[in-house]
Amino acid sequence: MSLHVFGSVLTAPGVAANNRGETEGNITTLQKLLWKGQVHTTVSAEAIRWALRYYWQTNGEKVNRRWNDEKDCHEWLDSAWEGWSKSDGETFIDDDLLGYMKAEGAKTEGEKGKTDKRRGVMEIARALSTLPFAGDITFNAKSGEKDRTSLYGTEVHATRYQYGFAITPERLREQDRVLKALEAIANLGEVAGNHSRFLFDFSPESIVLRISDDPAPRILYCFEETENVIELPELVRRIDAKDIASDELIIGGPVTQLPCFKDLKGIVCKPGVKQAMEKAKARIEKRLKS
């Protein structure tokens, strides 16, 4: 049986603003989607992946796609991914966990294009606001040339976000990189933002981790917020229905104080997210060595 590591992350509340630099007229907009019949804001998985890669880079991990702050661009250490063609070749943590793809068009008529790719082992779900978007906009003004004033607006959303991830360690070139993935999730700082003008803390306030032989996550988007109260009714239902074994779960953060978890046997509950991550890492390491 393959080992699978799943997680569902809930951030602390914050004020989100544009994460793409796109506008409609003079309004910078948030990404939105319909969820259960209401408009919610969302942050792309690509933005979360970027933040994970940057975390590894700034914490001493050797990443292939490095961000140069001075030049405001990415730089490659191995743009041809030559290490993957050799059993003992050098590979990088970001390519191993997040994958890569380089597509080249045909050079001559009738010739086929070429694609070098590796599917990401760490799959990340799009982040979704826990509260519907009420349409809040802030209006601002800035001075321009010849004493002209420009008026512009920014959509903002006071909310939490939740997102999930999945990793199958045996698909990694170096299986212990799953531990560094969990470390990055636990310490993730800002994700997205509009030209660094907005800060939203994407580190987990609460987290649900599942370490299982089951290939299906079954815990994604399990948080629900109603009148400033966070609950996990679908997670509890799935545990009661035996779709999720309670001893597969490690939960960290304030949600562990919910009454529903006091009556469920086998779940490891930790008051802090980092404590939960350390417990999960120890359990994964044990499985990898067995």
Side-chain angles (χ1 to χ4, degrees), residues 4 7 58 69-70 111 129 169 181-182 188 227 239 250 259 275:
H4 304 282
T58 55
D69 286 306
E70 293 184 1
E111 183 183 2
S129 67
L182 293 182
L188 200 62
E227 296 180 354
I239 296 170
I250 299 172
Q275 291 176 313

Side-chain angles (χ1 to χ4, degrees), residues 93-127:
I93 185 172
D94 54 332
D95 293 338
D96 204 359
L97 279 161
L98 303 179
Y100 58 82
M101 186 180 77
K102 182 179 182 180
E104 295 181 353
K107 296 180 180 179
T108 60
E109 186 176 351
E111 183 183 2
K112 292 184 177 180
K114 179 183 176 182
T115 301
D116 291 326
K117 64 180 180 179
R118 169 177 168 77
R119 180 178 173 181
V121 177
M122 185 178 188
E123 299 175 293
I124 301 171
R126 178 175 282 271

